Amino acid sequence: MTRAEEFEELRPLLLAIAYRILGSVAEAEDAVQETWLRYESTPTRPRSTKAFLSAVVTRISIDVLRSARVRRETYVGPWFPEPLLADPYEDPERSAELADSVSMAALLLLERLSPLERAVFVLREVFGFGFAEIASAVGRSEAACRQLAVRARRHMDDGRPRFEADRRERDELAARFFDALLEGDIGGLRELLAADVQLVGDGGGKAPALANSVFGAEKVARVLATNFPVLARIDARMEPHELNGQPGAILRDRDGKVAGTLVLDVLDGRIQTIRTVVNPDKLGHVGPVADAWAIHREVMRARRPGSG
């Protein structure tokens, strides 16, 4: 097998590792590309290609995350990970860990960890790497990595998100939610929302988004029922799509361009959190990006009396 073939075989794993460390599809893809360049220029073949490439992509991701943390400190409004259409890596033996770890809620929880803690947690808890491999990847002793893993696990366990265990029930609830959303059915929406539901959006100051989080079933239902039916009137559409392993949708304009994404956290038969991402910088990997401000102006016009 050639180096290129070996690399392509491991690319899904490398992307999955980098995305969980970085929370960015674009940065994860760049980290994987840099990993290939370093592998290609290595004079000798490593004993274990998987261990070598995993270590390289982890080190690159840690460095990128350190600089990204500085940028995120000045981010305008709530910061969310870039929406992930599908996890590139599959492992039936670790399917539960993989699914939970890629959710928006879990990725936001990972933001509380230091870059080293995050990398150790991802490699150990999500992908099941041994401590010898992790130590090599992050440049610390095995003992230090064990301590990092304990600290990271403690932080994650304190706020670990819970989700609806029955995927069929979860998806049925999501379908009812999107039907009620497009119909502007306040009562129907209210029945599907948890009493303390939260609606929050990430626009990064580059697109219209909720200025503040909206809390409570009544308020959230009214905000949703007021805004989303108007989008249908200007020929925008909600395209149901699983995102970050959770039920969600892609919002497209009349030309099919991506205006934003919406993800639902479902637990105990109710929607607990609704997160929207409309920052255009985070949507390019989903498809051609729409002009969110132009859509906003159309929505404002559509709301005027006599606009039909």
Side-chain angles (χ1 to χ4, degrees):
M1 186 180 291
T2 66
R3 284 197 182 201
E5 289 171 337
E6 282 186 311
F7 185 84
E8 287 306 315
E9 190 174 87
L10 289 165
R11 181 187 289 272
L13 172 62
L14 304 179
L15 276 169
I17 291 171
Y19 177 76
R20 285 165 174 81
I21 294 175
L22 293 167
S24 165
V25 174
E27 290 175 345
E29 290 175 343
D30 287 346
V32 171
Q33 181 60 25
E34 177 63 23
T35 300
W36 161 248
L37 294 175
R38 295 189 189 184
Y39 179 46
E40 187 182 32
S41 63
T42 303
T44 58
R45 298 284 280 267
R47 182 177 302 174
S48 168
T49 304
K50 177 184 175 182
F52 176 83
L53 293 177
S54 299
V56 172
V57 81
T58 297
R59 291 189 208 111
I60 292 170
S61 297
I62 289 172
D63 289 341
V64 173
L65 181 60
R66 284 173 174 149
S67 60
R69 284 284 172 87
V70 177
R71 296 193 302 273
R72 290 173 194 176
E73 288 175 1
T74 59
Y75 194 81
V76 178
W79 180 92
F80 293 157
E82 290 183 6
L84 185 68
L85 295 179
D87 192 347
Y89 179 71
E90 294 182 1
D91 180 352
E93 293 184 1
R94 306 193 68 82
S95 59
E97 294 92 338
L98 290 169
D100 288 349
S101 66
V102 83
S103 71
M104 284 274 185
L107 291 169
L108 287 170
L109 199 56
L110 282 169
E111 283 290 302
R112 302 179 186 179
L113 306 181
S114 71
L116 274 178
E117 287 173 340
R118 185 166 181 164
V120 169
F121 182 87
V122 167
L123 292 176
R124 179 63 180 173
E125 300 296 325
V126 180
F127 295 99
F129 278 67
F131 280 109
E133 294 174 300
I134 296 170
S136 174
V138 303
R140 295 292 188 275
S141 67
E142 288 189 44
C145 288
R146 290 180 187 277
Q147 291 178 337
L148 287 166
V150 169
R151 286 206 303 269
R153 194 180 304 117
R154 186 185 305 125
H155 285 306
M156 294 297 289
D157 287 345
D158 286 345
R160 189 182 294 275
R162 295 166 52 229
F163 302 108
E164 188 68 60
D166 190 315
R167 293 177 65 89
R168 182 181 59 80
E169 291 183 9
R170 183 199 71 177
D171 293 343
E172 287 177 356
L173 184 146
R176 289 164 56 201
F177 169 81
F178 287 117
D179 287 343
L181 185 65
L182 295 177
E183 293 170 6
D185 181 358
I186 294 178
L189 287 168
R190 193 167 48 231
E191 289 180 3
L192 300 172
L193 302 174
D196 58 349
V197 65
Q198 178 181 3
L199 169 66
V200 62
D202 174 348
K206 299 183 178 183
L210 296 169
N212 298 293
S213 299
V214 181
F215 295 92
E218 183 65 33
K219 289 182 179 179
V220 170
R222 289 191 178 280
V223 168
L224 293 173
T226 299
N227 288 282
F228 280 86
V230 183
L231 291 168
R233 286 162 54 189
I234 64 169
D235 297 324
R237 67 180 188 275
M238 297 293 294
E239 177 185 292
H241 197 295
E242 185 173 274
L243 298 165
N244 291 84
Q246 305 299 314
I250 300 170
L251 175 63
R252 298 185 183 274
D253 69 5
R254 61 166 56 91
D255 298 319
K257 293 182 177 179
V258 179
T261 61
L262 182 152
V263 179
L264 310 176
D265 285 352
V266 179
L267 179 66
D268 298 331
R270 292 289 185 274
I271 295 167
Q272 309 289 327
T273 310
I274 304 168
R275 297 184 179 89
T276 64
V277 175
V278 292
N279 182 342
D281 294 345
K282 296 185 175 184
L283 300 173
H285 63 286
V286 181
V289 180
D291 184 338
W293 289 107
I295 294 173
H296 180 68
R297 290 192 292 271
E298 278 198 78
V299 167
M300 293 299 102
R301 286 196 295 270
R303 284 178 175 165
R304 293 172 188 163
S307 63

